[in-house]
Amino acid sequence: MNAIISAAELANALAGPKPPVVLDIRYQLGGPNLRPAYEEGHIPGAVFVDLDSELAAPAGAGGRHPLPDMEVFGAAMQAAGVSANRDVVVYDGGLGWAAARAWWLLRWTGHPSVRVLDGGLAAWDGPIEAGAPSPVAGTFLPSPGALPLLDADGAAALARTGLLLDARAAERYRGEVEPIDRIAGHIPGAVSAPTTENVTESGHFRPAAELAERFKSLGATGTCEVGVYCGSGVSAAHEILALQVAGIPAALYAGSWSEWSADESRPVATGPDPQ
């Protein structure tokens, strides 16, 4: 199943006999909660899901956005109307990072049919509704493990034996700036692959063949395992989504740089080269 859906395809699905559950994951790092913006206007029937409280556990030793407690996540999905036998479409304000986090979590916990709205809310030219719907509760029960997941040691090993992609901005990878975490740099052996390069200026994903060529040039030749990390495991999910579009499976290092850099015993590399 294609991991992304166009605005036109979503409009058709919503008008069909079994419309998908639609989740609004609008989010801005370090900014206020965007529920008020959601209540001012959203895709009809969409339910707001909060990334910080429902798609992540509190920040701590596991990074700034650790994976959520499964009871909390499951309750949030059920309250939003999610069931395993009903398609789900997720979107955010346009970057796609927050939506990809929801997509990855649902797929990782076993939901068989989840897609991200390509281009986000900015791509939607259909009707908008205000307020907040009251969906019928869903029955989805998270069962983690359907997608590969890395811990810090696994990420370090993959950087040596396979391909570990760093989805952050190139200047953060090189260690020239670090606006958030304790120290600048990257995991030794990781390859710089900014997730922003997976989309066009409009925020839509590049064609699958173009993405496949990009990842091939970075080392994803089909002969090695691929993993991805970022600052806190959010934009890395977007890179995994791009890899999925390109037909390349990849594992997420959920703790990402925020977890790695918090441990002073872990090595740090700087500069444009992996080592």
Side-chain angles (χ1 to χ4, degrees), residues 21 52 146 151-152 162 187 203 235 245 257:
V21 172
D52 279 330
D151 59 12
I187 296 173
S235 65
V245 171
W257 187 248

Side-chain angles (χ1 to χ4, degrees), residues 166-186:
D166 185 320
R168 298 173 300 159
E171 60 269 24
R172 289 183 71 189
Y173 170 89
R174 294 191 298 264
E176 296 167 1
V177 298
E178 181 45 64
I180 306 172
D181 294 313
R182 183 185 68 85
I183 191 170
H186 60 265

